[in-house]
Amino acid sequence: MFRNQYDTDVTTWSPAGRLFQVEYAMEAVKQGSAAIGLRSKTHVVLGCVNKANSELSSHQKKIFKVDDHIGVAIAGLTADGRVLSRYMRNECINYSFTYDSPLPVGRLVVQLADKAQVCTQRSWKRPYGVGLLVAGLDESGAHLYYNCPSGNYFEYQAFAIGSRSQAAKTYLERRFENFTDSSRDDLVKDAITAIRETLQGETLKSSICTIAVVGVGEPFHVLDQGTVQQIIDTFEIAAEQEDPATEPDAATGQEAATEQGTAADQGGSTDEGAAPMDI
């Protein structure tokens, strides 16, 4: 991963105008386990993949509650994510104590981005090696933001970060136009499906994924494993019901192809120049 002499300091520019230390921090986000987020007009759903270092250890927590109306999902260095979530929690407490109202999501995201940007401009600091999906609800509606180690932040309708997140992004890009008017339960189902896309062949179980929801009349909370497993079981039952339904169609198609082949053999002398029918 070593590039050249321009990556030894976060404040050193390369001739191409790049800060390699910041790019390395962004690479740490790509190496972390996947996290996804999607929102509608009234709800935001966060999901993440739980990875354990070994079969003997438990997984690290990847979704943190910041306030009743805000939560975050992280990908990258979990320790950095813990520190930043504690900072966000303190900011929410201070704002609520001072103004007796919840902190707007957009203002908190800007403060978090400013904190991350400082680490790209001080030689005695390093960038935070974690990406955060910030889900929240305020007076202007539901919001989903992505905070980058570079100090940039973006608002999304749906997004995925972490390792093998491209498969989840592809699924979300196909479905995101329907998310605005989706119900809470539909959002949860789409979140679980997007997580399953990142597993690439692994069996999806409630023990390896975490789902959290925040919305109108619903404070931020993590769904228990039993509820998540019920939704996963519903997916599997629906898939099993679809498979037998497609098998008779395939058999019918094969019979039709056989009949057409027989007819072509019998009438080969008269229809020699005719194009075959599409099956």
Side-chain angles (χ1 to χ4, degrees), residues 36-251:
I36 63 103
L38 53 161
R39 70 178 175 94
S40 66
K41 291 180 179 178
T42 58
H43 289 81
V44 189
V45 176
L46 295 176
C48 69
V49 177
N50 301 328
K51 279 188 178 180
N53 292 329
S54 70
E55 296 181 358
L56 301 177
S57 67
S58 63
H59 65 271
Q60 289 186 310
K61 190 176 180 182
K62 300 294 295 294
I63 293 181
F64 300 94
K65 178 180 179 180
V66 176
D67 203 348
D68 285 339
H69 68 297
I70 298 177
V72 296
I74 66 171
L77 296 181
T78 310
D80 286 3
R82 249 191 349 261
V83 170
L84 290 177
S85 65
R86 185 167 61 246
Y87 164 78
M88 297 169 68
R89 200 173 294 121
N90 288 334
E91 291 298 313
C92 286
I93 292 173
N94 293 336
Y95 188 94
S96 179
F97 179 79
T98 305
Y99 300 102
D100 196 23
S101 63
L103 177 60
V105 183
R107 183 175 300 183
L108 177 62
V109 168
V110 171
Q111 292 176 351
L112 182 63
D114 290 343
K115 185 177 178 66
Q117 192 276 335
V118 169
C119 295
T120 69
Q121 220 171 356
R122 301 288 186 272
S123 60
W124 61 90
K125 293 186 177 183
R126 66 161 176 83
Y128 291 102
V130 64
L132 295 95
L133 291 175
V134 183
L137 184 76
D138 55 24
E139 295 178 352
S140 60
H143 300 280
L144 175 67
Y145 291 92
Y146 169 56
N147 278 77
C148 182
S150 64
N152 289 324
Y153 65 94
F154 309 91
E155 185 170 10
Y156 286 94
Q157 184 72 40
F159 197 55
I161 58 177
S163 63
R164 295 186 289 192
S165 61
Q166 186 57 50
K169 286 181 186 177
T170 303
Y171 172 80
L172 295 173
E173 287 169 358
R174 292 199 309 263
R175 298 271 301 167
F176 80 96
E177 293 179 352
N178 302 324
F179 292 160
T180 303
D181 299 320
S182 293
S183 64
R184 171 194 180 276
D185 294 339
D186 289 339
L187 281 182
V188 173
K189 291 178 182 178
D190 283 320
I192 294 176
T193 305
I195 290 175
R196 184 171 59 181
E197 294 292 325
T198 68
L199 298 179
Q200 293 186 351
E202 296 181 43
T203 303
L204 177 62
K205 298 180 292 184
S206 61
S207 60
I208 63 173
C209 68
T210 303
I211 303 294
V213 181
V214 62
V216 176
E218 186 175 10
F220 185 88
H221 68 286
V222 177
L223 300 183
D224 60 88
Q225 286 192 1
T227 303
V228 175
Q229 188 60 50
Q230 287 179 359
I231 300 173
I232 295 173
D233 293 339
T234 304
F235 284 162
E236 293 177 351
I237 293 173
E240 291 175 357
Q241 291 176 348
E242 290 177 359
D243 290 341
T246 56
E247 290 177 359
D249 295 338

